[in-house]
Amino acid sequence: EELEAIEQVLKGETFTMGPQVEAFQKEWAEYCGTEYAFATSSGTTACNLAVQLLGLKPGDEVITTPITFIATNAEILRLGGVPVFADVQYETHNIDPESVKEKITSRTKAIVVVHYGTQMCDMDEIMAVARENDLLVVEDAAHVPGAEYKGKKAGSIGDIGCFSFHPLKNMTTFEGGMLTTNSDSIAEKVYSLRCIGLKNYEDQRDYWLPYHYDVVEVNGVIGNNFRMDEVRAAVGRVQLRKLDRLNAKRLELTQYVNSLLETVDGIDLPFWAPDRTQVCYLYNPRYKLHSRGYPKDDFLRILYYEEGIQPILHYLPNYLFSVYRRRGYKKGLCPVAEKVFFEETMTLPMHPRFTYEDLEVMARGIRNAIAKIKKRRGKG
């Protein structure tokens, strides 16, 4: 179906910002339950647009999460803003509303939340804090397209939502993203920011007078080319029709591998909050033997080099990257985030094309790695 959609675009005459993009945006807004949706060239550029729409001035603070891909927060630095990292909840890795409250100052302008891994943040609490302090809220929903919190879709609760369609995500346009909002004023600004700051002259007499377009700044920012092309939009429309089915398959497979690991000593299954849906982008069981004298890195080495199972880690607390450390951020800023990253969390392979047999191989490798690390350290 994706190949057929691409072929139709190649037979047409418009290859960027044409009817496929318009249709994809409309369909995405309807799916998410938002007034507006704007297709972008990547999830990163969707995040960049979102931050540019906040109207930050140098020194303004944005409360955000440390457990995310670096793209969530990089634009704050570029605009001269100050990322202020709130800690995360131990159970979900999502930003902790109580920590957010503690971080608010007179310079705070917005809150950025990341719906991590499989489920959305505690949005009622986040929105209450934001409204009480007159702050904008950005939802980075790159991990959770289609997820719901108390019946509301990701990207529809905050002031701005951001999505990624990277090939590893629950649906893909090869590379691409989407920005959502219910705000007329925010939507109006997106048109220029997403397209080099272009804007029609208010007193345009003929289409060439005084020129075909003007170039303006929006919120003090000169726009960039963050547009999506027709090929990716056509693929996205096909993928959107499959999204609920793909999410359901991820959930089915995750529930199966959970059943294989639930009795393994040293592994805790992911926590799923009961009032929201799970879309299972990342599979994050916890390694619980680090505090019992079996280092997590030793376990990961056995799992990868001896059992052939490749775990990865999502994500190094952002303030530990060099770009933050040179600005004075230090280890110890978010103790919960550091504990789960360095001692417990791991991401295991998860994809809707996996078979039950694939997952049985993975579970067997984990059991073997647990047995080996215990035996080698003389405590098994």
Side-chain angles (χ1 to χ4, degrees), residues 197-210:
L198 302 188
K199 184 179 180 181
N200 291 332
Y201 288 96
E202 294 181 4
D203 58 347
Q204 192 134 17
R205 286 169 289 157
D206 298 294
Y207 69 84
W208 68 90
L209 294 175

Side-chain angles (χ1 to χ4, degrees), residues 62-74 76 83-89 92-97 99-100 103 110-116 121 126 138-141 143 314-321 324 329 333-334 336-337 340:
V62 178
I63 298 175
T64 185
T65 175
I67 302 295
T68 183
F69 183 55
I70 191 67
T72 303
N73 300 317
I76 301 171
V84 175
F85 292 98
D87 214 339
V88 299
Q89 297 170 324
T92 66
H93 300 5
N94 279 332
I95 196 168
D96 187 342
S99 183
V100 170
K103 302 289 183 175
I111 303 168
V112 175
V113 304
V114 174
H115 304 309
Y116 177 86
C121 298
I126 292 293
V138 175
E139 294 179 68
D140 183 338
H143 290 191
H314 289 93
Y315 296 91
L316 180 72
N318 277 193
Y319 54 83
L320 296 179
F321 286 114
Y324 287 101
Y329 293 80
L333 187 59
C334 296
V336 177
V340 297

Side-chain angles (χ1 to χ4, degrees), residues 1 23 66 84 96 182 240 264 292 301 335 340 367-368 377:
E1 292 172 306
V84 175
D96 187 342
N182 289 307
L240 177 54
V264 177
R292 289 160 54 180
R301 290 185 185 99
V340 297
R367 288 194 297 269
N368 290 345
R377 294 187 65 83

